[in-house]
Amino acid sequence: MAAGEAVWGVTGDRAVLQAMLDAEAGLVRAQYRVGVAPRGAAEAVTGAARAERFDARSLAVRAAGAGGNPVIPLVADLTREVERRDADAASYVHRGATSQDILDSALMLVAARTLDLITAELRATAAALGEHAARHRGTVLPGRTLTQHAVPTTFGLKSAGWRSLVLDAHDRLLGVRTALPAQLGGAAGTLAAFHVHAAHAAGPRRGPTDGPSNGSAGGRPSEPADGPTGDAASGAYSAPVLRGDGRGDDPGLTLAAAYAAELGLAEPELPWHVLRTPIADLAGALAFCAGALGKVAADVLVLSRTEITEVAEGSGGGSSAMPHKANPARATLIASAARQVPALAAVLFGAMAAEDERPAGAWHAEWHPLREALRLTGGAARTARDLCEGLTVFPGRMRDHLGLTGGTLLAEHVTAHLTPVLGRAVARAAVATASRRAAADGSGLAAALARDPAVAALLDAAALAALTDPAGYLGSAPALTDRALRRTPARASGGRPIPPEPGEETRG
């Protein structure tokens, strides 16, 4: 579903490979930042960490025989690449880290880049639905419960409900995006090796307070490919002052903070090798998003049926056998994703039951379903935007359908009006009898009620016509729509700017 979309570019094999390289390079830059690696190592590893220099397929093949994960062969290849640039720098590749540090951090980078795209699409989808809700605030159509006509509602309220779900999904994903953490724990989550490296750091050299970082998810260095610039390249070393932040002078905590900053990810409270809250939160938010979009798609699929046609996709899909058809292809694809992502999330939740300090199998089980859930949700978000921006609404068909039951969808309205005078039981029985009579002879509810002496004594023809007018029984639908439209998408905490919507940069 994501093929051809921007989300494919940030979840494909090359994207994951680049994210792993970003994680490796970010670690060396972080070590330079805190004064335990030389500037030349940060330059050499950052310059070498380009996906085009590595063979993703070869890494995958070799991973099966090299410890079961692609980081192990990648470290070997990256080390050789760095050696060609700076032999002394090669020893700093992957220093102190474990494979899970790199792959977990890389998948968080992939998730961050994907969520930035998804949340932009969701904001655009919400904007389109907001326009529908405002335009059709008073457009009446049958409300349907358990597949049957119930009472009148408005297409504005239905659209506002879709928008509310989309904003719920947006806000959840945005919250998860802001909290996506870097992973750094070393072999068993104690950061012990980094203490040794800090103790062995040569002389009084200390890293600059501000190292090379672009402050955005992924740590792709903003400096040229041949190495860091700015403070990191100035040769000026000064000790960072860490006070009142819970880190004190602990070299492991200091490095973990610097690493998170280099990657543009959150700093976790603890290494989370077997504490999979970030993955579970991400899985839940993706499943919610797919389901929210699936609700929109489900309604469009029903309302665009041939015998209903209250809405239609702007340009439907064709059929290989029936040239007359214009299938709701976009809603179909979204509905497909909505059924798949929760199952993928279930695998990710299942992986939380991970043994020891680093698990065998539970962590490995996450890689495919996480990437597939990101792809499917990203594709669904893009498709939902196209669907909602191009959705065609047919108010005339909605009005026609209000009369299909001869006014009986106003039975509740009439019963409520008669109850204070006739009593609830008598009023309900009278309206039920009139409804059955109207359905049997096609006379309509108003005419059937007029033949009931008790009702006729209370209501003349004009009053019955008013009580069976769908537009007169909308309750709070307009007010609910207005209230829902006052809601705006959440913004990222901590001042991180929300990325522009795709194509927004070129719009006036």
Side-chain angles (χ1 to χ4, degrees):
M1 182 171 179
E5 302 291 351
V7 71
W8 183 264
V10 294
T11 59
D13 291 347
R14 179 163 174 166
V16 175
L17 171 56
Q18 185 60 65
M20 289 192 291
L21 291 165
D22 291 341
E24 291 284 6
L27 179 58
V28 184
R29 294 199 307 273
Q31 291 178 330
Y32 165 60
R33 172 185 284 203
V34 302
V36 297
R39 168 186 163 187
E43 293 177 344
V45 178
T46 296
R50 298 291 188 270
E52 61 268 19
R53 299 193 175 103
F54 301 87
D55 186 339
R57 184 179 183 280
S58 171
L59 292 171
V61 170
R62 286 184 286 149
N69 77 76
V71 176
I72 296 173
L74 177 63
V75 169
D77 291 358
L78 178 59
T79 300
R80 283 192 294 271
E81 184 68 27
V82 173
E83 280 179 334
R84 286 195 282 268
R85 295 168 169 264
D86 182 342
D88 292 335
S91 64
Y92 290 92
V93 174
H94 199 71
R95 191 177 68 157
T98 190
S99 297
Q100 192 172 354
D101 290 333
I102 299 305
L103 193 49
D104 276 350
S105 294
L107 290 176
M108 292 299 95
L109 293 176
V110 169
R113 293 161 181 169
T114 308
L115 294 186
D116 286 344
L117 295 174
I118 293 174
T119 51
E121 298 291 5
L122 293 177
R123 289 193 298 278
T125 301
L129 291 173
E131 292 176 4
H132 285 301
R135 184 179 304 116
H136 295 287
R137 179 179 181 274
T139 299
V140 187
L141 78 163
R144 298 171 171 94
T145 63
L146 300 178
T147 76
Q148 306 298 299
H149 285 199
V151 297
T153 186
T154 68
F155 190 71
L157 183 58
K158 182 179 284 289
S159 298
W162 294 344
R163 179 180 181 269
S164 179
L165 270 180
V166 170
L167 289 178
D168 287 344
H170 171 273
D171 294 355
R172 282 164 172 76
L173 287 175
L174 191 63
V176 168
R177 164 64 181 90
T178 303
L180 290 174
Q183 174 75 282
L184 192 64
T190 65
L191 297 161
F194 299 115
H195 283 246
V196 176
H197 298 314
H200 290 172
R205 181 183 62 196
R206 300 188 180 189
T209 301
D210 296 312
S213 173
N214 69 349
S216 63
R220 285 309 308 151
S222 56
E223 62 271 10
D226 60 353
T229 59
D231 291 342
S234 68
Y237 292 88
S238 59
V241 178
L242 302 175
R243 295 289 185 271
D245 56 8
R247 303 185 194 110
D249 296 321
D250 186 285
L253 300 187
T254 301
L255 178 61
Y259 185 49
E262 280 295 331
L263 298 185
L265 295 171
E267 178 189 357
E269 181 181 39
L270 295 169
W272 46 281
H273 293 147
V274 287
L275 309 174
R276 307 307 280 176
T277 302
I279 299 296
D281 285 345
L282 178 57
L286 290 171
F288 182 93
C289 180
L293 298 176
K295 159 59 179 171
V296 180
D299 281 348
V300 170
L301 289 171
V302 169
L303 297 180
S304 61
R305 288 176 180 271
T306 303
E307 61 272 23
I308 298 178
T309 320
E310 292 178 356
V311 302
E313 293 189 5
S315 56
S319 166
S320 63
M322 296 166 283
H324 68 284
K325 294 192 71 179
N327 295 319
R330 294 181 181 87
T332 298
L333 291 173
I334 297 167
S336 171
R339 286 160 174 79
Q340 295 178 70
V341 178
L344 296 168
V347 177
L348 297 172
F349 278 110
M352 291 185 70
E355 73 283 359
D356 300 329
E357 279 61 58
R358 291 188 53 232
W363 169 55
H364 305 71
E366 295 171 349
W367 306 341
H368 172 74
L370 178 58
R371 189 159 61 142
E372 193 65 16
L374 288 166
R375 286 176 172 175
L376 285 167
T377 308
R382 175 65 214 186
T383 305
R385 175 182 182 170
D386 292 340
L387 169 65
C388 295
E389 288 182 343
L391 191 68
T392 302
V393 181
F394 300 104
R397 292 283 292 177
M398 295 174 180
R399 284 193 299 273
D400 292 344
H401 293 156
L402 291 167
L404 287 178
T405 59
T408 57
L409 79 169
L410 279 303
E412 180 187 67
H413 189 200
V414 177
T415 302
H417 190 83
L418 292 174
T419 293
V421 179
L422 300 179
R424 181 178 179 183
V426 173
R428 183 179 179 87
V431 175
T433 299
S435 296
R436 288 192 295 271
R437 184 181 298 133
D441 61 19
S443 60
L445 180 61
L449 286 167
R451 297 202 292 272
D452 184 308
V455 174
L458 297 172
L459 301 170
D460 60 18
L464 286 170
L467 286 174
T468 54
D469 177 8
Y473 195 55
L474 298 178
S476 298
L480 288 168
T481 302
D482 294 341
R483 183 169 69 177
L485 289 179
R486 289 194 289 270
R487 178 182 175 186
T488 59
R491 297 192 65 84
S493 62
R496 185 179 67 85
I498 292 178
E501 297 170 12
E504 189 174 75
E505 302 91 336
T506 59
R507 293 201 290 265

